Amino acid sequence: MKTLVIFYSLTGNTKRIAEGLAAKESYDIAEAVGTFRPGPFKALVLGSFAARGLKAWAIKPLDADISAYERLMVLAPIWAGFPVPFINSVIAGLPEGKTVSFKAVSASGKSSCKERVEAAIKAKGCTLESFEDIKA
Ligand SMILES: Cc1cc2nc3c(=O)[nH]c(=O)nc-3n(C[C@H](O)[C@H](O)[C@H](O)COP(=O)(O)O)c2cc1C
């Protein structure tokens, strides 16, 4: 299946993992870049709150045509147990009918978001193929 790896990374961990996966499988890769870069206070206080509420923080247009891929591998840093709000913009922009493999990257290797991520992906008419917690 033609696969595109999409990731957001604030401090580099998810970028390193995404680039490793893409290189290993020769997948194309696109970085989701926020319309702003949160500093420590914004990330820890507002970001954690927004992540828990599944709020979407805006991203710049992706440097890839998602519609050209059948499968999307989405990698998200975990903030307060949930995907970073920028990744919620990626999910909100999913075209219908895509197969999504989701990887949650955190310090602990534990998240509490599988059900909510799956519901958000299904709401876009897409299928969650797999969900994996990765310890950075
Ligand atoms: C605001 C914020 C909240 C975080 N919350 C969690 C958390 O709930 N659980 C966890 O294991 N790691 C948490 N982390 C750690 C990140 O998930 C981890 O460092 C991740 O690898 C960051 O990815 P990045 O370097 O690609 O930005 C948090 C980090 C930040 C900045």
Side-chain angles (χ1 to χ4, degrees):
M1 246 194 271
K2 198 179 174 200
T3 301
L4 175 68
V5 174
I6 305 174
F7 71 95
Y8 173 85
S9 185
L10 183 64
T11 55
N13 296 333
T14 311
K15 182 181 173 77
R16 176 177 40 81
I17 293 165
E19 287 177 346
L21 284 169
K24 192 171 159 220
E25 304 291 342
S26 299
Y27 294 149
D28 293 339
I29 186 165
E31 180 169 9
V33 179
T35 54
F36 63 94
R37 184 181 163 86
F41 174 80
K42 189 150 188 177
L44 280 166
V45 180
L46 303 180
S48 295
F49 189 74
R52 275 203 298 270
L54 291 195
K55 299 277 183 257
W57 280 357
I59 56 170
K60 294 176 181 170
L62 283 179
D63 194 15
D65 176 13
I66 293 192
S67 64
Y69 297 84
E70 299 160 88
R71 183 161 168 262
L72 304 168
M73 187 176 283
V74 179
L75 283 88
I78 291 303
W79 287 7
F82 288 88
V84 64
F86 296 109
I87 283 292
N88 293 327
S89 284
V90 171
I91 294 174
L94 287 175
E96 203 178 329
K98 301 295 176 193
T99 297
V100 180
S101 168
F102 197 93
K103 298 188 188 300
V105 180
S106 64
S108 62
K110 288 182 191 130
S111 65
S112 44
C113 60
K114 184 180 175 211
E115 285 75 17
R116 287 176 75 184
V117 165
E118 183 161 25
I121 287 169
K122 273 190 180 166
K124 297 302 296 182
C126 297
T127 308
L128 181 67
E129 177 189 49
S130 63
F131 181 99
E132 184 187 0
D133 274 304
I134 296 178
K135 192 172 178 342

